[in-house]
């Protein structure tokens, strides 16, 4: 079953490497993020990409969020987060490559728990990317309630891109 507007966002565990302002070049220790604990009482913009450092994700999807994170926060987003099927170290490195610091939370769903709970996974085996890859999507969550879901119907970035999300905030 695929997540839809009005649903409660699933309670899953993701991982990330926190940004360290005192030592921005460091790669810290991975931390767990429990979605209900982290997102309760907050407005969250969560966008998902099939893979960090991949062409569409790097050239189209992520840049829009990097450029628009301030506007999203000014429109009420408490957290802007990116999630992918990559491990937390790859997500941390990808965030560093965009200098996101702690403006965008770079989350890993390497085991596919969140994607499976949302019903938004694809099989990347044919492209040699593994059996569980997140679909490309964006979700707005308000105090754990899903208020927007934009899942890309085809390759490219439209309903999950930053402009579409800003229009829904």
């Amino acid at each position: 079953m695929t997540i839809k507007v009005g649903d409660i966002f699933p309670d899953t565990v993701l991982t990330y490497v926190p940004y360290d302002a005192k030592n921005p070049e460091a790669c810290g220790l991975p931390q767990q993020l429990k979605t209900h604990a982290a997102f309760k009482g907050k407005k969250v913009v969560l966008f998902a990409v099939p893979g960090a450092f991949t062409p569409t994700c790097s050239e189209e999807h992520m840049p829009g969020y990097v450029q628009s994170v301030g506007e999203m926060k000014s429109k009420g987003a408490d957290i802007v987060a990116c999630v992918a099927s990559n491990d937390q170290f790859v997500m941390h490195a990808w965030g560093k490559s965009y200098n996101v610091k702690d403006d965008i939370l770079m989350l890993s769903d390497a085991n596919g728990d969140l994607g499976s709970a949302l019903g938004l996974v694809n099989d990347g085996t044919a492209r040699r990317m593994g059996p569980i890859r997140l679909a490309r999507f964006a979700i707005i969550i308000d105090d754990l309630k899903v208020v927007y879901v934009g899942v890309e119907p085809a390759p490219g970035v439209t309903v999950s891109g930053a402009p579409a999300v800003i229009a829904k905030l």
Side-chain angles (χ1 to χ4, degrees):
M1 186 166 163
T2 304
I3 194 86
K4 62 187 180 311
V5 170
D7 288 349
I8 298 299
F9 194 79
D11 191 14
T12 61
V13 177
L14 302 168
T15 56
Y16 70 104
V17 175
Y19 171 73
D20 182 353
K22 293 179 187 172
N23 192 2
E25 295 306 311
C27 186
L29 296 174
Q31 305 291 313
Q32 290 189 345
L33 180 136
K34 296 177 181 177
T35 55
H36 275 202
F39 298 168
K40 179 137 183 70
K42 296 196 167 70
K43 185 175 275 189
V44 179
V45 170
L46 178 70
F47 68 103
V49 299
F53 294 108
T54 59
T56 302
C57 304
S58 293
E59 296 166 12
E60 293 182 48
H61 213 172
M62 181 67 135
Y65 282 88
V66 171
Q67 294 167 357
S68 303
V69 66
E71 184 177 357
M72 290 178 187
K73 290 188 176 183
S74 74
K75 288 184 154 247
D78 299 299
I79 297 170
V80 177
C82 176
V83 63
S85 303
N86 303 95
D87 69 59
Q88 61 270 24
F89 297 107
V90 170
M91 292 304 292
H92 182 68
W94 197 40
K96 275 184 176 180
S97 77
Y98 283 96
N99 197 32
V100 300
K101 300 180 181 173
D102 57 0
D103 293 330
I104 298 175
L105 190 57
M106 303 299 291
L107 301 170
S108 167
D109 185 29
N111 291 342
D113 297 338
L114 176 64
S116 295
L118 295 171
L120 293 172
V121 292
N122 294 320
D123 184 346
T125 306
R127 293 172 294 163
R128 309 297 300 165
M129 295 180 79
I132 297 176
R133 280 282 156 171
L134 286 174
R136 185 179 308 284
F137 63 85
I139 297 176
I140 300 173
I141 306 145
D142 192 353
D143 192 23
L144 301 180
K145 185 176 179 183
V146 175
V147 296
Y148 175 75
V149 179
V151 180
E152 293 301 341
V157 179
T158 58
V159 296
S160 69
V165 168
I166 289 168
K168 298 295 181 177
L169 282 172

